[in-house]
């Protein structure tokens, strides 16, 4: 184990991981999250994520930070008490920083936390900081986050790698839905290549490194006039 890096030392490559604040009902999920965090750190990449210290969020953040890499958690003020298992004293300090909606406070031993006012700001900041996106298993929130990132790519807002970590077939049914949407003419065939699917941690890293932006995305101008 290496000494954790200074939280102000931001690496050039940062990946965003969307995942559940719960562990799920299989140890495979947490094991995968931990191994992913270790691999992210081994590449000297940083992590931006939803800021929780529970469930898969906590597992991946702990693994990245304990192996010496940058961790930045971004959490809405309303979720501090739900997705954080830290002491009441620390949570009270976090809540004191909410008035300005930009407070940065240590999250136990997992790097730094930025407290924001709402979910939209959380996603915007994660999207701006990350150079790639990974979806681990999770619930409604995880699905909403990764699908918006895919839509942003389709619309030409970004061209960054997107990878589903299909742990133990977790995303099989979602992938069937997307395939059905393509067959039914609601998603362009080429847009089906916006995201990649990995079954192992090594696959996740490789697919990020080898990612090629697919043809068929909308060439829209999102710059402010």
């Amino acid at each position: 184990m290496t000494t954790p890096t200074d939280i102000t030392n931001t690496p050039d490559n940062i990946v965003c991981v969307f995942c559940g604040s719960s562990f799920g009902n299989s140890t495979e999920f947490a094991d995968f999250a931990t191994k992913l965090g270790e691999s992210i750190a081994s590449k000297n990449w940083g992590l931006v994520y939803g800021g929780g210290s529970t469930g898969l969020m906590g597992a991946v953040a702990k693994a990245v930070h304990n192996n010496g890499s940058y961790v930045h958690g971004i959490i809405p003020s309303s979720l501090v008490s739900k997705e954080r298992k830290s002491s009441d004293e620390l949570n009270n300090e976090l809540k004191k920083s909410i008035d300005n909606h930009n407070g940065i406070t240590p999250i136990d031993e997992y790097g730094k936390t930025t407290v924001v006012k709402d979910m939209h700001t959380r996603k915007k900041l994660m999207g701006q900081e990350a150079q790639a996106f990974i979806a681990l298993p999770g619930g409604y929130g995880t699905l909403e986050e990764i699908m918006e990132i895919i839509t942003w790519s389709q619309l030409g807002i970004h061209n960054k790698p997107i990878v589903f970590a299909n742990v133990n077939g977790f995303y099989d049914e979602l992938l069937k839905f997307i395939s059905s949407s393509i067959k039914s003419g609601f998603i362009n065939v080429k847009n089906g290549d916006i995201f990649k699917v990995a079954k192992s941690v090594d696959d996740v890293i490789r697919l990020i490194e080898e990612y090629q932006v697919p043809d068929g995305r909308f060439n829209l101008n999102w710059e402010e006039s």
Side-chain angles (χ1 to χ4, degrees):
M1 182 180 298
T2 58
T3 302
T5 54
D6 186 336
I7 63 173
T8 62
N9 183 20
T10 306
D12 292 333
N13 294 312
I14 298 175
V15 296
C16 176
V17 176
F18 300 122
C19 58
S21 58
S22 300
F23 283 108
N25 58 12
S26 171
T27 58
E28 290 185 65
F29 301 142
D31 289 345
F32 195 104
T34 297
K35 291 176 183 176
L36 177 62
E38 293 169 348
S39 291
I40 289 171
S42 74
K43 300 292 293 186
N44 294 316
W45 295 350
L47 169 72
V48 61
Y49 80 115
S53 59
T54 62
L56 300 190
M57 280 191 188
V60 69
K62 180 178 180 180
V64 174
H65 186 267
N66 284 0
N67 284 276
S69 283
Y70 168 94
V71 176
H72 183 193
I74 302 175
I75 188 168
S77 56
S78 297
L79 290 179
V80 168
S81 61
K82 180 181 185 300
E83 295 183 350
R84 293 290 302 278
K85 63 182 178 183
S86 47
S87 66
D88 290 339
E89 180 180 356
L90 177 55
N91 281 337
N92 286 336
E93 289 301 313
L94 275 170
K95 290 171 184 175
K96 289 178 184 178
S97 72
I98 289 170
D99 289 341
N100 293 324
H101 304 301
N102 62 355
I104 296 177
T105 305
I107 177 172
D108 295 330
E109 69 272 29
Y110 306 156
K112 68 179 182 180
T113 295
T114 298
V115 180
V116 295
K117 61 183 179 180
D118 54 40
M119 297 289 284
H120 301 290
T121 305
R122 177 200 233 179
K123 289 185 292 183
K124 178 181 178 181
L125 293 180
M126 288 194 293
Q128 289 174 339
E129 187 168 12
Q131 281 78 54
F133 302 91
I134 302 166
L136 286 171
Y140 288 137
T142 301
L143 182 60
E144 184 269 338
E145 288 167 331
I146 194 63
M147 294 307 292
E148 182 162 9
I149 288 298
I150 292 171
T151 302
W152 287 358
S153 179
Q154 181 187 38
L155 295 176
I157 297 173
H158 74 84
N159 59 5
K160 302 170 183 178
I162 303 169
V163 178
F164 281 97
N166 193 24
V167 186
N168 197 25
F170 180 84
Y171 282 112
D172 283 353
E173 296 305 316
L174 175 62
L175 297 173
K176 289 180 182 178
F177 164 77
I178 294 172
S179 177
S180 177
S181 294
I182 292 172
K183 291 178 181 177
S184 297
F186 291 102
I187 297 175
N188 184 289
V189 173
K190 292 181 178 180
N191 285 170
D193 291 328
I194 286 174
F195 65 87
K196 301 299 179 182
V197 181
K199 294 184 178 180
S200 70
V201 171
D202 288 344
D203 280 347
V204 172
I205 301 300
R206 177 181 58 81
L207 289 170
I208 289 175
E209 293 180 324
E210 297 178 357
Y211 186 79
Q212 298 290 322
V213 181
D215 295 329
R217 296 157 64 252
F218 297 136
N219 186 23
L220 305 177
N221 181 9
W222 292 93
E223 297 295 326
E224 294 183 358
S225 59

